[in-house]
Amino acid sequence: MLLISVQSQLSELAHNISREANQLMNYFWPAPLTLVFNAVSTLPDILTAKTGKVGVRLPGNEWTRRLIKTVGSPLTATSANKENGENPKTAQEVLNTFGSKVDLIIDSGPAPGGQVSTLLDTTVSPPNFLRHGVITKKEIASCITSECNMVS
């Protein structure tokens, strides 16, 4: 997954962005919502897992967005839990779980509610849920209808 600091960075990473994806980004981002897009052909296989797709999130944490902006390019990121493991709620819990296996842990305080981000594949219509998270299926469905356009 790649984290971006502003929505305009997406054009460097993805193409053929669907109407639904645009609605979701405009309504929810920045938020714990990762969207999967068709990757531009210049992205390395390590970022696409040779699928031709890339997951992108505009994080809600302002400090993280400032870091990305300072670095000058999107940053790779992953969930801070082991497969089938507990979701760490603090930076210390992440450190206890992974130790020196991670290069950087951003400590912006305890995770709110401990819920995972929602993960949607927007390369298909309607978007396919890959992981249910803090943004619910009902909220996504409402956004994809005309209700989302009227509110945003």
Side-chain angles (χ1 to χ4, degrees):
M1 171 190 37
L2 292 168
L3 300 178
I4 57 177
S5 62
V6 291
Q7 191 170 326
S8 61
Q9 283 183 300
L10 186 60
S11 63
E12 304 167 25
L13 308 171
H15 65 94
N16 297 333
I17 298 168
S18 69
R19 176 189 59 81
E20 292 102 336
N22 276 309
Q23 287 175 249
L24 293 165
M25 290 183 293
N26 291 334
Y27 188 73
F28 289 109
W29 276 6
L33 175 64
T34 301
L35 301 176
V36 175
F37 300 98
N38 291 304
V40 295
S41 61
T42 54
L43 278 185
D45 287 344
I46 195 165
L47 295 178
T48 66
K50 297 183 181 182
T51 64
K53 298 179 181 184
V54 63
V56 180
R57 181 183 318 150
L58 179 62
N61 183 279
E62 186 179 333
W63 191 95
T64 305
R65 291 194 310 271
R66 284 196 323 258
L67 174 65
I68 297 163
K69 184 176 181 179
T70 300
V71 169
S73 67
L75 296 177
T76 60
T78 185
S79 297
N81 63 316
K82 290 186 176 181
E83 190 172 345
N84 298 321
E86 290 290 318
N87 291 320
K89 294 175 182 59
T90 66
Q92 186 61 51
E93 289 177 8
V94 173
L95 184 60
N96 294 344
T97 301
F98 294 100
S100 63
K101 294 179 182 178
V102 294
D103 295 323
L104 176 69
I105 298 171
I106 298 171
D107 187 355
S108 60
Q115 286 189 290
V116 297
S117 62
T118 301
L119 177 60
L120 284 176
D121 183 347
T122 66
T123 66
V124 295
S125 184
N128 182 37
F129 271 82
L130 301 175
R131 179 177 66 208
H132 294 273
V134 66
I135 298 174
T136 67
K137 193 170 190 173
K138 182 178 179 181
E139 291 171 308
I140 296 294
S142 291
C143 183
I144 292 173
T145 67
S146 60
E147 292 175 44
C148 179
N149 286 330
M150 293 187 296
V151 175
S152 58

